[in-house]
């Protein structure tokens, strides 16, 4: 269950993480009133559950209340990544000295959380990871231990963040654990010219299984999502549409995120994030592949699975089932490792589908998937 940015910022504020004052509206006329209340000069931001708002023109600076009304009218009704903009958030601008990236994400495959941090915020973290992977720190977090002051200091040192961000890291962990979240992200976390550490943007994904404890965000997802995301949600699949050409399927959020980074590092853009989970059945694998192959922008698909609870032969059975029902016209690259990997590879080998290629490692699979995508 993804929250809107203004909802994520509300959670941050409740847990003591500084955020600029802001208000939300679905009316361009009211945007003028809000801007006047906030001091005149404001940032107008589209409220949609997807990334890429800035590049799409959904984040703009308005110098005065009249400009805020004009800007809000221009943004309201836009479509960003298949998501219609039905509300905007107006926030006080901040004088920025430095920008950083921090997040926590559930790594199902490893049975723990992963802290991801970088001293370069404000841009897509995948781009930084592709250009300079050493700049992105990935620190495992034991759920039983959590983010203690010592762990926060470790993350700060690894990423080269200012020491004062350690307190934010501890509070961000509280958001994750106390609010039933699977992902919390701040990009950018900034140091202002006055020396304050402030969260300018936020993304929070809540565990759908805890919906009964999170009733204040609504009992159902916003129906105005990307059609493929809606189709995936109807099948119980964790899927996020991205603007790329290589479809990505994996088991475990950490493994999927790593796969996105590797694809980007090979010179292509991931088309989606799809996590089949730690105990996925053949049906889930088949349904996930069907959703990814339904994306007209996908030119190849990379399936990257490390067998644990999910055995590799089960994944292979799901792929074979999808091949018989979906009838793909795009190449698939499959990397299977771990539990029953040899058996899974044999299942795919026996099927001998002309569009399915197997690879031994994640890097090899990503290079092949990118090469096939560029060839189509």
């Amino acid at each position: 269950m993804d929250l809107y940015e203004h909802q994520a910022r509300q959670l941050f504020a409740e847990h003591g993480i500084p955020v600029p004052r802001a208000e939300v509206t679905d009316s361009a006329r009211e945007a003028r009133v809000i801007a006047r209340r906030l001091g005149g000069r404001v940032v107008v931001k589209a409220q949609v559950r997807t990334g890429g708002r800035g590049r799409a023109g959904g984040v703009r600076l308005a110098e005065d209340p009249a400009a805020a009304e004009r800007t809000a009218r221009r943004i309201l009704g836009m479509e960003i990544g298949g998501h219609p903009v039905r509300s905007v958030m107006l926030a006080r601008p901040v004088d920025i000295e430095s920008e950083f990236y921090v997040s926590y994400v559930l790594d199902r495959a490893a049975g723990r959380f992963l802290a991801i941090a970088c001293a370069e915020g404000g841009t897509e973290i995948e781009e930084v990871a592709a250009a300079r992977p050493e700049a992105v720190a990935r620190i495992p977090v034991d759920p039983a231990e959590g983010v203690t002051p010592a762990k926060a200091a470790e993350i700060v040192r690894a990423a080269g963040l200012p020491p004062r961000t350690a307190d934010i890291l501890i509070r961000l962990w509280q958001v994750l654990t106390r609010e039933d979240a699977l992902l919390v992200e701040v990009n950018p976390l900034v140091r202002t010219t006055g020396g304050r550490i402030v969260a300018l943007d936020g993304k929070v994904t809540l565990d759908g299984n805890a919906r009964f404890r999170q009733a204040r965000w609504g009992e159902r997802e916003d129906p105005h999502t990307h059609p493929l995301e809606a189709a995936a949600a109807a099948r119980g699949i964790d899927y996020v549409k991205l603007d790329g050409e290589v479809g990505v399927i994996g088991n475990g959020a950490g493994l999927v995120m790593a796969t996105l980074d590797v694809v980007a590092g090979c010179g292509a853009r991931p088309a989606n994030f799809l996590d089949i989970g730690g105990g996925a059945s053949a049906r889930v694998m088949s349904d996930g592949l069907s959703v990814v192959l339904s994306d007209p922008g996908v030119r190849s698909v990379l399936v990257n699975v490390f067998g644990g609870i999910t055995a590799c032969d089960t994944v292979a059975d799901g792929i074979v089932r999808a091949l018989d029902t979906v009838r793909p016209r795009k190449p698939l690259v499959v990397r299977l490792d771990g539990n029953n990997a040899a058996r899974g590879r044999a299942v795919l080998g026996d099927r001998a589908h002309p569009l399915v290629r197997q690879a031994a490692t994640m890097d090899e699979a990503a290079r092949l998937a990118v090469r096939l995508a560029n060839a189509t």
Side-chain angles (χ1 to χ4, degrees), residues 274-313:
L274 196 155
D275 176 12
I276 61 173
S281 63
R283 180 192 59 78
V284 171
M285 181 65 235
S286 176
D287 287 347
L289 194 53
S290 298
V291 170
V292 173
L293 289 170
S294 299
D295 183 350
V298 167
R299 298 177 187 171
S300 71
V301 179
L302 171 54
V303 179
N304 186 21
V305 170
F306 185 85
I309 298 174
T310 301
C312 290
D313 56 334

Side-chain angles (χ1 to χ4, degrees), residues 123-194:
T123 58
E124 296 292 336
I125 193 65
E126 292 85 2
E127 295 178 2
V128 178
R132 294 187 307 105
E134 71 280 359
V136 181
R138 297 174 175 84
I139 307 297
V141 179
D142 183 344
E145 177 186 354
V147 177
T148 62
K151 177 61 72 171
E154 178 187 352
I155 298 169
V156 165
R157 287 193 302 271
L161 303 177
R164 293 183 61 186
T165 59
D167 179 65
I168 300 296
L169 290 169
I170 293 171
R171 294 178 184 276
L172 200 63
W173 177 257
Q174 293 172 356
V175 174
L176 182 87
T177 55
R178 297 178 183 178
E179 304 296 340
D180 300 308
L182 301 175
L183 166 72
V184 292
E185 176 186 84
V186 183
N187 187 26
L189 179 71
V190 306
R191 178 170 54 197
T192 69
T193 53

Side-chain angles (χ1 to χ4, degrees), residues 89-299:
M89 182 181 74
L90 290 86
R92 282 181 173 171
V94 171
D95 293 326
I96 299 171
E97 179 182 285
S98 306
E99 299 186 348
F100 319 107
Y101 173 97
V102 296
S103 70
Y104 296 116
V105 62
L106 175 63
D107 185 347
R108 285 192 177 94
R112 63 192 179 194
F113 285 90
L114 189 66
I116 303 175
C118 179
E120 301 176 28
T123 58
E124 296 292 336
I125 193 65
E126 292 85 2
E127 295 178 2
V128 178
R132 294 187 307 105
E134 71 280 359
V136 181
R138 297 174 175 84
I139 307 297
V141 179
D142 183 344
E145 177 186 354
V147 177
T148 62
K151 177 61 72 171
E154 178 187 352
I155 298 169
V156 165
R157 287 193 302 271
L161 303 177
R164 293 183 61 186
T165 59
D167 179 65
I168 300 296
L169 290 169
I170 293 171
R171 294 178 184 276
L172 200 63
W173 177 257
Q174 293 172 356
V175 174
L176 182 87
T177 55
R178 297 178 183 178
E179 304 296 340
D180 300 308
L182 301 175
L183 166 72
V184 292
E185 176 186 84
V186 183
N187 187 26
L189 179 71
V190 306
R191 178 170 54 197
T192 69
T193 53
R196 297 180 66 222
I197 303 296
V198 179
L200 285 197
D201 198 348
K203 179 178 180 181
V204 174
T205 299
L206 303 181
D207 187 345
N209 294 316
R211 195 183 299 274
F212 68 98
R213 286 199 296 259
Q214 302 295 335
R216 62 170 166 163
W217 307 120
E219 294 188 357
R220 294 186 175 274
E221 287 280 354
D222 187 339
H224 305 294
T225 58
H226 191 281
L228 287 177
E229 293 181 352
R235 300 179 183 186
I237 297 172
D238 292 328
Y239 171 92
V240 179
K241 178 74 176 72
L242 303 174
D243 296 325
E245 54 279 348
V246 178
V248 175
I249 300 175
N251 62 323
L255 179 62
V256 178
M257 290 188 69
T259 307
L260 300 183
D261 288 345
V262 174
V263 167
C266 291
R269 299 175 304 163
N272 64 272
F273 172 105
L274 196 155
D275 176 12
I276 61 173
S281 63
R283 180 192 59 78
V284 171
M285 181 65 235
S286 176
D287 287 347
L289 194 53
S290 298
V291 170
V292 173
L293 289 170
S294 299
D295 183 350
V298 167
R299 298 177 187 171

Side-chain angles (χ1 to χ4, degrees), residues 309-320:
I309 298 174
T310 301
C312 290
D313 56 334
T314 299
V315 171
D317 288 337
I319 294 173
V320 169

